[in-house]
Amino acid sequence: MNQDPLISIITVVYNGANTIEQTILSVLNQTYPNIEYIIIDGKSTDGTIDIIKKYEDKIEKWVSESDKGLYDAMNKGVSKARGELIGIINSDDWYEPSAIELVVSAYKKEPKKKVFHADRYDVLPNNQKKRYPFNPSKAKFLFYAMTYNHASMFFHKDIYSQYKYNDQFKVFSDYELVLKLYLKTPEYFKYIKETYVNYRIDGISARQSLKLNLKEGSKARLNAGLNYFYVIVYKLLTTIKHYI
């Protein structure tokens, strides 16, 4: 491992002019020095491109072209990344200044780990922040919900050589990918007990309907290899919570 391994950060965006500058600055102002920053824009029409161009001398690569949605754009970004570790921060969200330094420090201590994750701050519409800790419950992760904070996750490049995001999903592809990894290689995961990412709860994932969550959650579990019994348990738990 190099003393300061190259870390790739990917931002995917479509018409994110209201928030993307904060995202960009949070990457450019990191305390860690060796960062490759990649932005994948879905052909925005709202001024997003003008904001990206403001900082293009500090951005390693950026493209603006039509895509098939969020996860297709993530796959495009990953395909362009050269870093040893790869993080994805969407245009609604932003890092704390020492985020990447904390991840690299954990990686140096345990280089056999390949998936690093942490807690997050949920950012309310009034900009108040509330810490949302990682829930280590295996039962909840398997049967009910995504308990890992994807915005905090950094994957070793080897992971992305084997796995891609399923672009047929609207919101559950990250869950499917993490579930597959967990079921196959749980020893890869390293929890960093820090809070270094900010997640706007009015973003894409937070706005989805119960019906979509049930449909995609069930399909993600089946695709990851859980049997149908687990899918039924998940549907029951989700539906009950919705009505109580």
Side-chain angles (χ1 to χ4, degrees):
M1 183 195 303
N2 295 330
Q3 185 174 358
D4 291 320
L6 179 65
I7 307 300
S8 296
I9 303 297
I10 298 163
T11 293
V12 300
V13 58
Y14 176 68
N15 286 347
N18 291 334
T19 58
I20 191 173
E21 189 162 27
Q22 185 174 28
T23 307
I24 291 172
L25 289 173
S26 81
V27 176
L28 299 183
N29 292 331
Q30 285 293 303
T31 57
Y32 184 77
N34 195 14
I35 297 172
E36 170 191 66
Y37 192 25
I38 299 167
I39 299 180
I40 307 297
D41 175 76
K43 219 168 184 180
S44 293
T45 58
D46 69 339
T48 294
I49 300 302
D50 293 331
I51 296 171
I52 295 172
K53 285 181 176 178
K54 256 178 82 172
Y55 301 100
E56 65 181 345
D57 61 325
K58 298 178 181 179
I59 297 168
E60 185 74 16
K61 303 168 189 173
W62 72 275
V63 298
S64 182
E65 60 189 21
S66 298
D67 54 50
K68 294 186 288 184
L70 177 67
Y71 295 114
D72 181 41
M74 286 184 181
N75 286 332
K76 284 184 183 181
V78 168
S79 71
K80 298 178 184 297
R82 299 179 295 114
E84 203 162 326
L85 296 178
I86 301 171
I88 298 177
I89 185 79
N90 292 340
S91 62
D92 290 322
D93 310 323
W94 72 96
Y95 289 127
E96 293 294 304
S98 61
I100 299 173
E101 186 175 355
L102 288 167
V103 173
V104 172
S105 177
Y107 177 46
K108 287 179 177 179
K109 290 175 183 175
E110 298 188 68
K112 292 185 179 180
K113 300 292 184 181
K114 294 183 181 291
V115 181
F116 298 86
H117 65 100
D119 302 332
R120 75 178 190 231
Y121 291 114
D122 279 350
V123 183
L124 305 175
N126 62 4
N127 288 323
Q128 288 187 330
K129 291 166 66 170
K130 180 180 179 181
R131 181 172 166 270
Y132 185 89
F134 165 62
N135 186 331
S137 169
K138 180 178 178 179
K140 185 172 184 180
F141 178 54
L142 294 179
F143 305 146
Y144 181 66
M146 172 68 157
T147 54
Y148 292 84
N149 299 312
H150 186 257
S152 79
M153 299 187 87
F154 285 72
F155 297 106
H156 192 276
K157 61 182 180 181
D158 291 348
I159 297 296
Y160 283 124
S161 69
Q162 302 174 58
Y163 297 90
K164 296 291 184 286
Y165 291 100
N166 183 344
D167 61 21
Q168 300 302 305
F169 284 116
K170 291 184 181 296
V171 293
F172 266 71
S173 187
D174 51 348
Y175 177 50
E176 180 190 271
L177 187 149
V178 175
L179 186 57
K180 285 179 177 179
L181 277 171
Y182 182 85
L183 292 172
K184 185 176 181 181
T185 49
E187 69 276 10
Y188 281 175
F189 285 67
K190 174 62 180 178
Y191 170 52
I192 303 170
K193 198 174 182 179
E194 299 282 353
T195 312
Y196 56 65
V197 68
N198 299 276
Y199 173 80
R200 294 184 197 273
I201 62 171
D202 59 345
I204 293 173
S205 297
R207 294 194 299 262
Q208 303 309 313
S209 67
L210 173 65
K211 182 178 179 181
L212 179 62
N213 287 347
L214 285 169
K215 179 181 177 181
E216 290 203 352
S218 299
K219 188 172 181 181
R221 285 168 177 78
L222 289 171
N223 289 351
L226 289 176
N227 67 41
Y228 198 71
F229 168 76
Y230 294 142
V231 175
I232 295 297
V233 171
Y234 162 73
K235 285 186 175 182
L236 288 172
L237 289 174
T238 307
T239 306
I240 290 169
K241 183 179 179 183
H242 181 70
Y243 287 106
I244 60 173

